[in-house]
Amino acid sequence: MKQFFQTILTVLIGLFAGLALAGLAYLTSRQPSGAPVMLQPSPTPQPIAVFVMGAVERPGVYYLPRESRLVDAVAMAGGFLEGADVASINLAQKLEDGDRVDIPGSGAFPTPQLVIGGNGLLVTPTPPAGQLVNINTADAALLAKLPKIGDTTAARIVEYRQQNGPFTRVEDLLKIPGIGPDSLEE
């Protein structure tokens, strides 16, 4: 009788071990449940480059945030010149990377004089004294010529712009090490 109970116990242990192994095999071989992992877009989209020419104050290549409109590009280029034919363009037009925008008009317009910058991108040359410098398009050499900005701070501005996209407010320059309220005022 004792041998009978040992045989039954051995069969039960074997049965439970077999069920445990079958359950483990089922759990490891079945398809995972739930939704697949979806990658989200990057939090800071890269800016687009737009070539603006024609009846604008400062023709050249400008870097704008994605979803920018033609009106934004014209503003970056210093606005319209006298004689610009504003009625023939759509200022609400969305821009795309690599767009060329030619603002029509009558009269003589400045010819864009572009140079290749250190990083291989087209930039506008140093503006004449008294003109504003676009911090979103100027290269490090041009930025270094500004008051209270040296080579190191100019390189930091370009690096910040490459990592975070174009500046949306002048006050964003305060995020750059080496630029304080006094430097910003200059």
Side-chain angles (χ1 to χ4, degrees):
M1 186 74 141
K2 183 176 180 183
Q3 191 174 10
F4 175 72
F5 284 119
Q6 283 181 342
T7 305
I8 291 180
L9 183 61
T10 304
V11 170
L12 287 175
I13 289 175
L15 183 64
F16 285 125
L19 286 173
L21 286 175
L24 182 62
Y26 172 73
L27 290 175
T28 58
S29 66
R30 68 184 180 129
Q31 291 289 338
S33 61
V37 175
M38 301 298 289
L39 296 177
Q40 298 295 319
S42 66
T44 307
Q46 293 296 318
I48 60 172
V50 178
F51 180 28
V52 183
M53 59 184 295
V56 291
E57 188 71 37
R58 292 183 309 274
V61 176
Y62 293 94
Y63 296 90
L64 299 148
R66 295 211 175 266
E67 303 298 317
S68 291
R69 306 280 180 163
L70 181 56
V71 67
D72 302 319
V74 170
M76 292 280 282
F80 294 111
L81 289 176
E82 187 174 328
D85 186 7
V86 180
S88 67
I89 59 173
N90 178 7
L91 288 172
Q93 171 188 342
K94 280 190 178 181
L95 298 172
E96 294 183 19
D97 190 38
D99 277 354
R100 174 184 162 162
V101 178
D102 193 359
I103 305 299
S106 60
F109 307 125
T111 302
Q113 296 179 7
L114 304 173
V115 296
I116 302 294
N119 58 1
L121 298 175
L122 291 172
V123 294
T124 54
T126 305
Q131 283 194 354
L132 298 176
V133 172
N134 185 332
I135 59 174
N136 285 323
T137 59
D139 63 359
L142 176 57
L143 292 169
K145 294 177 184 177
L146 295 173
K148 304 252 187 184
I149 303 292
D151 291 334
T152 304
T153 306
R156 288 179 184 157
I157 292 170
V158 172
E159 180 181 343
Y160 179 91
R161 198 173 61 204
Q162 289 171 344
Q163 292 176 356
N164 301 294
F167 294 94
T168 56
R169 303 176 339 190
V170 174
E171 292 78 21
D172 288 344
L173 282 170
L174 293 172
K175 297 176 183 175
I176 308 294
I179 298 182
D182 292 339
S183 299
L184 183 65
E185 186 65 31
E186 285 286 325

